[in-house]
Amino acid sequence: MFAQITERKSLRPKHLFIYITLALCVAASLYFVYHNHGWYDRPIAEVISTKIVESTEMEDMNGNKDTLYSQQIVAALKNGAQEGETITLTNEYSSSGATDQEYHPGNELFVSIDSSSTGKTELTGSIEDVKRDTYMMIIGWVFILLLLVVGKKQGLFSLITLGVNAIILSFALDIYLNSADISLLVVCSIGVILFTGISLLLVNGFNEKTYAAVVATLIGTFMTLLIAYVVVGFTSGNGLRYEEMQFLTRPYEMVFMAGILVGCLGAVMDVAITLSSSIFGLYEKNPAISIRALRKSGFEIGQDIMGTMTNILFFVYISGAIPMLILFFKNASPLGFTLSMNLSLEMARALTGGIGIVLAIPIAIYTSIFFVNRKKARP
């Protein structure tokens, strides 16, 4: 008891230092994004007042009703040679807000200043974009703090792996874009190996449990890719609508397959480390447990997580298509046409990921048992 109290007391200054450092980082970063206007090359204006000067009711050929507004905005320039001067802007927006939005006092906007108004008493210009870095910083800190509070040391390692993986993905895409001879699938395959190794080894440590998860993840992911590749090859890609990739100048099918590879990695990795941890946990609590009991327990755990994991994949992929589904339905597009146009690729990705999850269960179980047997065989 006394030893525990002493230990807790010895940790307090360390924890206090971490909390103070985090609080200072949050405060400094928020102060920076609230006062970083001088770091931007483009003019930034803060909305002071707004006024609706015109509204028009409209109805399209499908009976959809909407109201168009013309909003006059007076804003104060926050940077550049005209800092402190006011500028008058015009914003056209609709009540549906499909591709536009209403602005309110306090909003910060990237604007362009009309050259003809320079030197006059009243500046005019147009709105180019919204300055969102403040909101992004707040959301980013909420994510980081939640991860650190819940995950503690593991949460910190998760953040580090997330950053490293993002850098690797960016680097891999740069290599692909700057080289016409290299396949995106090859680049992503190398990336998947690095993502798996870095994520699992850094977060879970160098031990048999992690090695089993790494091996199971790689086998499960590449087997899933092989199945998807064979199916798409046999069906010649019939039923897949690549319209959303029309802006690409690279082969659509290869880009789609690379997306499947990276997309199913997370789900397969999650299943692999869950089963590996469970099987090694059972073995460490009872080293005399039989392999048959481990295998049975592994399959029971796999059956429990299989349903939730496949549903997660389904909702993740489908959620991205909801805005386009609403747009198509509002324009009275037929159900079959709407679903095939917007969901064919997402459904293919979700189904492939589901196959990967199911495959990962036996692969992770037998891989973990293999490493358990190796551990048992050691003197």
Side-chain angles (χ1 to χ4, degrees):
M1 179 73 178
F2 178 75
Q4 288 178 346
I5 293 173
T6 306
E7 185 183 356
R8 291 185 67 180
K9 280 186 176 178
S10 66
L11 291 175
R12 279 181 183 169
K14 178 184 173 184
H15 289 161
L16 189 63
F17 174 75
I18 293 172
Y19 296 148
I20 291 174
T21 304
L22 271 175
L24 287 175
C25 288
V26 173
S29 59
L30 290 178
Y31 180 84
F32 174 75
V33 292
Y34 272 106
H35 300 85
N36 64 351
H37 308 92
W39 290 72
Y40 286 95
D41 295 331
R42 295 187 292 170
I44 298 171
E46 180 180 350
V47 177
I48 299 173
S49 63
T50 64
K51 183 172 67 175
I52 304 295
V53 293
E54 186 180 355
S55 64
T56 308
E57 301 290 335
M58 60 165 291
E59 182 174 346
D60 66 12
M61 57 185 294
N62 296 310
N64 296 316
K65 294 180 180 179
D66 206 348
T67 306
L68 299 180
Y69 297 96
S70 179
Q71 183 184 34
Q72 190 177 63
I73 297 173
V74 177
L77 288 164
K78 306 287 287 184
N79 62 346
Q82 289 89 8
E83 181 179 353
E85 297 184 34
T86 57
I87 184 170
T88 302
L89 307 162
T90 301
N91 176 40
E92 306 282 346
Y93 71 94
S94 60
S95 57
S96 62
T99 57
D100 44 43
Q101 68 178 90
E102 180 185 5
Y103 296 115
H104 303 279
N107 289 152
E108 292 185 329
L109 311 171
F110 290 106
V111 300
S112 60
I113 303 171
D114 293 340
S115 56
S116 58
S117 67
T118 306
K120 295 182 179 177
T121 54
E122 184 178 345
L123 296 176
T124 58
S126 56
I127 300 168
E128 294 186 343
D129 201 356
V130 183
K131 183 174 180 286
R132 297 187 175 88
D133 55 358
T134 306
Y135 311 107
M136 294 300 296
M137 183 64 74
I138 293 171
I139 293 292
W141 274 116
V142 169
F143 170 69
I144 291 170
L145 292 177
L146 281 175
L147 206 58
L148 292 177
V149 168
V150 176
K152 295 184 172 59
K153 187 178 177 183
Q154 304 288 356
L156 176 63
F157 285 138
S158 299
L159 275 176
I160 294 171
T161 57
L162 189 63
V164 172
N165 287 341
I167 293 170
I168 292 173
L169 182 61
S170 173
F171 184 66
L173 292 178
D174 274 347
I175 291 175
Y176 172 67
L177 291 174
N178 294 322
S179 173
D181 300 327
I182 191 165
S183 166
L184 180 60
L185 207 52
V186 173
V187 172
C188 287
S189 297
I190 297 170
V192 161
I193 296 170
L194 293 175
F195 297 153
T196 305
I198 291 171
S199 301
L200 292 176
L201 291 172
L202 192 58
V203 175
N204 299 287
F206 290 78
N207 50 57
E208 281 87 354
K209 175 184 72 178
T210 310
Y211 301 150
V214 169
V215 174
T217 300
L218 293 178
I219 294 174
T221 303
F222 284 106
M223 278 187 69
T224 307
L225 175 69
L226 180 63
I227 292 171
Y229 194 84
V230 171
V231 171
V232 172
F234 271 115
T235 59
S236 301
N238 289 329
L240 296 176
R241 307 296 295 261
Y242 295 107
E243 278 80 358
E244 67 181 59
M245 299 184 185
Q246 281 182 346
F247 55 89
L248 289 176
T249 55
R250 303 293 176 108
Y252 301 156
E253 190 175 301
M254 198 57 67
V255 175
F256 173 66
M257 297 304 295
I260 282 182
L261 177 64
V262 176
C264 74
L265 172 66
V268 173
M269 192 190 300
D270 195 21
V271 171
I273 191 62
T274 301
L275 286 168
S276 172
S277 296
S278 303
I279 289 173
F280 270 88
L282 290 169
Y283 168 71
E284 284 162 6
K285 281 191 175 179
N286 178 20
I289 189 171
S290 67
I291 295 300
R292 184 178 179 182
L294 282 178
R295 186 167 53 241
K296 184 181 176 187
S297 300
F299 275 106
E300 287 175 353
I301 296 167
Q303 288 164 359
D304 287 340
I305 64 174
M306 186 170 57
T308 53
M309 288 300 298
T310 48
N311 274 295
I312 287 171
L313 269 185
F314 173 77
F315 289 126
V316 165
Y317 282 122
I318 298 303
S319 63
I322 287 177
M324 291 306 294
L325 289 177
I326 292 174
L327 185 64
F328 273 65
F329 285 140
K330 279 204 58 115
N331 286 282
S333 297
L335 178 65
F337 175 74
T338 302
L339 295 181
S340 67
M341 282 293 292
N342 296 287
L343 291 184
S344 67
L345 297 184
E346 279 73 12
M347 284 303 295
R349 291 181 185 120
L351 288 172
T352 312
I355 292 171
I357 289 169
V358 176
L359 276 177
I361 292 171
I363 293 171
I365 291 170
Y366 285 107
T367 308
S368 301
I369 289 174
F370 171 78
F371 278 93
V372 166
N373 283 330
R374 278 190 57 187
K375 198 171 182 179
K376 276 184 174 180
R378 285 185 197 153

